[in-house]
């Protein structure tokens, strides 16, 4: 079978009707993508008919590789679902905003035991939104250290 690439990260193997998509995702979102007991991946696999594997060999560099295989249409559905959800989560967590403080602002980093992160965030981030509204501070939770038993909360605002 002969492989060729179509678009970024999407390869098709001719004669087998098998497609492969490689996506790089920030390491702190790997746990989210897996979901509790792998449910998030299982859900996307069920909806798309594609198979999803996560290669974390590059996690020390801040990202992991998601490999999606299956029928071309299913791979596209799974890839789109992962990208759409990542964009939503990154927007919600203000991941892509510059973290440099403005003049007069301070940045504090606080270690949060992992078992309290869900409570701190609240349903769909409601707790964080409420704290940001009441304090005027921006709060970002970095869960890339979750395997070590904690996450880092970065608070940016005026004293």
């Amino acid at each position: 079978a002969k492989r060729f690439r179509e678009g970024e990260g999407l390869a098709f193997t001719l004669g087998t009707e098998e497609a492969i998509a490689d996506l790089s995702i920030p390491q702190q979102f790997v746990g989210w993508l897996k979901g509790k007991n792998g449910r998030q991946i299982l859900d996307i696999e069920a909806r798309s008919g594609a198979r999803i594997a996560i290669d974390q060999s590059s996690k020390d560099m801040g990202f992991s590789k998601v490999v999606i295989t299956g029928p071309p249409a299913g791979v596209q559905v799974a890839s789109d679902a992962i990208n759409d959800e990542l964009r939503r989560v990154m927007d919600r967590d203000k991941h892509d905003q510059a973290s440099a403080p403005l003049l007069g602002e301070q940045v504090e980093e606080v270690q949060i035991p992992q078992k309290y992160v869900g409570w701190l965030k609240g349903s769909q981030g409601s707790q964080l939104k409420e704290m940001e509204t009441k304090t005027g501070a921006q709060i970002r939770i970095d869960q890339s250290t979750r395997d070590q038993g904690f996450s880092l909360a970065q608070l940016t605002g005026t004293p």
Side-chain angles (χ1 to χ4, degrees):
K2 183 178 178 187
R3 284 176 53 125
F4 70 95
R5 291 212 168 269
E6 181 178 292
E8 186 175 327
L10 195 57
F12 294 93
T13 304
L14 292 177
T16 64
E17 293 299 315
E18 181 88 356
I20 301 169
D22 298 327
L23 306 172
S24 291
I25 65 168
Q27 187 61 34
Q28 69 228 45
F29 296 112
V30 170
W32 165 85
L33 178 59
K34 285 180 174 182
K36 189 173 184 173
N37 298 322
R39 285 188 208 149
Q40 179 86 323
I41 288 179
L42 293 173
D43 179 54
I44 294 171
E45 286 178 333
R47 286 186 286 146
S48 67
R51 292 171 306 286
I52 301 170
I54 300 175
D55 174 1
Q56 295 192 61
S57 62
S58 58
K59 75 179 186 177
D60 292 339
M61 295 185 288
F63 69 94
S64 283
K65 188 168 137 181
V66 178
V67 180
I68 308 166
T69 57
V75 169
Q76 189 65 56
V77 167
S79 178
D80 289 347
I82 290 169
N83 282 318
D84 289 347
E85 288 298 310
L86 277 175
R87 266 192 292 283
R88 184 183 64 77
V89 170
M90 291 170 83
D91 286 347
R92 181 194 73 201
D93 292 350
K94 297 179 172 75
H95 177 73
D96 53 353
Q97 288 186 357
S99 60
L102 300 173
L103 188 61
E105 287 186 330
Q106 290 183 333
V107 177
E108 294 292 330
E109 203 164 77
V110 180
Q111 215 176 74
I112 309 292
Q114 194 61 38
K115 65 182 180 180
Y116 297 118
V117 171
W119 171 84
L120 179 65
K121 285 181 145 187
S123 178
Q124 298 180 342
S126 62
Q127 289 276 88
L128 289 181
K129 290 175 194 169
E130 184 178 338
M131 285 187 270
E132 287 179 327
T133 300
K134 286 182 176 180
T135 65
Q138 290 183 339
I139 304 168
R140 183 177 166 269
I141 307 292
D142 177 357
Q143 295 193 60
S144 61
T145 56
R146 74 183 308 153
D147 292 341
Q148 298 168 36
F150 66 92
S151 287
L152 297 172
Q154 186 181 62
L155 304 108
T156 305
T158 54

